[in-house]
Amino acid sequence: MSDFLELAARRQSCRDFADKPVEHDKLVKCAEAARLSPSGCNSQPWSLIVVESPDKVKEVAATTQLMGLNKHNDDARAFFVVLEEHAKLMPKMAQLVDSQIFAKGDLGGFVLSLCLEAESQGLGTCILGLFDRPKLRELLGIPDYKPIFLLVSVGYPASDRVRDKIRRPADDFVRYV
């Protein structure tokens, strides 16, 4: 895909992964794309744990099984665990605002870059906010003081079908002046 809008239209939350391992180099490329994301004051308030060993992947998938949701993660072949780090703002900026003021937006861009790179390589992703954080912390040795931002399941989609996107029309939220 050469057109960014085509890539954005194709990216979707994958909830049916194929029984096919994901190559390590593809995960590395996803991490690299995320690393290149912009951030306020170039603070880069993120770190990433790439879970790819089959045993650990199954254990991480189990942390997503809350309230009967996310069973599709049982077939994921990898996970990206996105952590929020302390943002180091320029001293003048840090005098005006809290150091984490831009972090959530920066992390959103980080995750989107990761997911779009995955899509460009034929991988499917699903961004997850609901999971057993204490269990995941224990499993991966993540300290209590480090916020877990999101979890992203990864694998090859079982189907090439792209679902229709249900989005508000641009007129509902875009204003040109």
Side-chain angles (χ1 to χ4, degrees), residues 47-68:
S47 61
L48 185 66
I49 299 171
V50 182
V51 181
E52 61 181 327
S53 69
D55 291 341
K56 281 284 189 215
V57 168
K58 290 294 179 199
E59 291 178 286
V60 171
T63 71
T64 71
Q65 309 299 317
L66 299 176
M67 301 182 334

Side-chain angles (χ1 to χ4, degrees), residues 7 21 37 54 84 100 107 114 118 139 142 149 152 157 166 169 172 177:
L7 181 64
S37 298
E84 180 178 340
Q100 298 306 102
L107 285 159
L114 189 142
L139 177 65
I142 300 168
F149 183 65
V152 180
I166 301 169
D172 281 2
V177 294

Side-chain angles (χ1 to χ4, degrees), residues 7-78:
L7 181 64
R10 185 158 179 76
R11 198 231 57 89
Q12 61 189 351
S13 295
C14 184
R15 292 187 178 88
D16 189 15
F17 294 108
D19 185 14
K20 178 180 176 183
V22 173
E23 300 86 347
H24 174 77
D25 63 316
K26 289 189 174 190
L27 299 173
V28 170
K29 283 181 80 172
C30 291
E32 179 62 9
R35 183 186 73 83
L36 295 172
S37 298
S39 60
C41 297
N42 196 27
S43 60
Q44 304 172 52
W46 50 64
S47 61
L48 185 66
I49 299 171
V50 182
V51 181
E52 61 181 327
S53 69
D55 291 341
K56 281 284 189 215
V57 168
K58 290 294 179 199
E59 291 178 286
V60 171
T63 71
T64 71
Q65 309 299 317
L66 299 176
M67 301 182 334
L69 301 172
N70 298 324
K71 290 299 283 178
H72 64 279
N73 290 319
D74 287 345
D75 296 325
R77 293 297 176 252

Side-chain angles (χ1 to χ4, degrees), residues 97-114:
V97 296
D98 178 84
S99 67
Q100 298 306 102
I101 191 167
F102 306 118
K104 299 290 191 242
D106 295 344
L107 285 159
F110 180 88
V111 170
L112 182 60
S113 293
L114 189 142

